[in-house]
Amino acid sequence: VQLQASGGGLVQAGGSLRLSCVASGTIFSINRMGWYRQAPGKQRELVASIHAAGFINYADSVKGRFTISRDNAKNTVYLQMNSLKPEDTAVYYCNADVQNYSWSINRAYWGQGTLVTVSS
């Protein structure tokens, strides 16, 4: 399974970006999809996640500013980021828990990361 993330870039503080991540390959179903980020010198942290049933979780630092959504028919997860701050600068990674076959357990896959830079 491959996860292809896109949508990163350079934006001024207060601006918006929309990240997309498409999963492709041997996929029977996708349970949880999420976005993580890693800033220079810091550990990777969860930004937001969304389960197939619709349950959503956000990091406190992005609540009210970021919105995660998914299109199950397209195996795609989105992250709409508004009111961006310089501290949101990081490489953003998408993650998916995929069931490859009807009889298999979930496996975690990661995308390659997309850089988001927020200037002050």
Side-chain angles (χ1 to χ4, degrees), residues 15-17 19 35 37 47-48 56 58-59 61-69 78-85 87-89 92 116 118:
S16 298
L17 284 174
L19 305 183
W35 289 95
R37 67 185 181 187
V47 177
I56 291 175
Y58 292 103
S61 59
V62 307
K63 284 180 180 177
R65 300 188 298 121
F66 291 9
T67 302
I68 190 170
S69 61
Y78 305 96
L79 186 68
Q80 177 65 44
M81 305 185 294
N82 299 328
S83 302
L84 282 161
K85 305 176 181 180
E87 51 263 43
D88 294 318
T89 295
Y92 284 70
V116 172
V118 184

Side-chain angles (χ1 to χ4, degrees), residues 38-53:
Q38 187 167 18
K42 295 187 176 181
Q43 290 187 330
R44 189 174 298 189
E45 62 176 0
L46 174 68
V47 177
S49 64
I50 180 169
H51 290 253

Side-chain angles (χ1 to χ4, degrees), residues 2-117:
Q2 296 80 41
L3 299 182
Q4 182 66 47
S6 61
L10 173 64
V11 64
Q12 289 188 330
S16 298
L17 284 174
R18 188 190 192 211
L19 305 183
S20 300
C21 178
V22 182
S24 62
T26 304
I27 299 171
F28 175 76
S29 67
I30 302 178
N31 183 11
R32 176 181 173 277
M33 303 186 82
W35 289 95
Y36 290 73
R37 67 185 181 187
Q38 187 167 18
K42 295 187 176 181
Q43 290 187 330
R44 189 174 298 189
E45 62 176 0
L46 174 68
V47 177
S49 64
I50 180 169
H51 290 253
F55 176 76
I56 291 175
N57 184 43
Y58 292 103
D60 289 341
S61 59
V62 307
K63 284 180 180 177
R65 300 188 298 121
F66 291 9
T67 302
I68 190 170
S69 61
R70 62 189 283 175
D71 185 333
N72 292 327
K74 297 181 179 180
N75 291 333
T76 301
V77 63
Y78 305 96
L79 186 68
Q80 177 65 44
M81 305 185 294
N82 299 328
S83 302
L84 282 161
K85 305 176 181 180
E87 51 263 43
D88 294 318
T89 295
V91 177
Y92 284 70
Y93 299 90
C94 61
N95 163 268
D97 292 336
V98 177
Q99 187 180 8
N100 300 109
Y101 307 95
S102 61
W103 44 263
S104 61
I105 63 174
N106 287 342
R107 286 186 59 186
Y109 293 89
W110 291 89
Q112 83 286 4
T114 184
L115 177 62
V116 172
T117 303

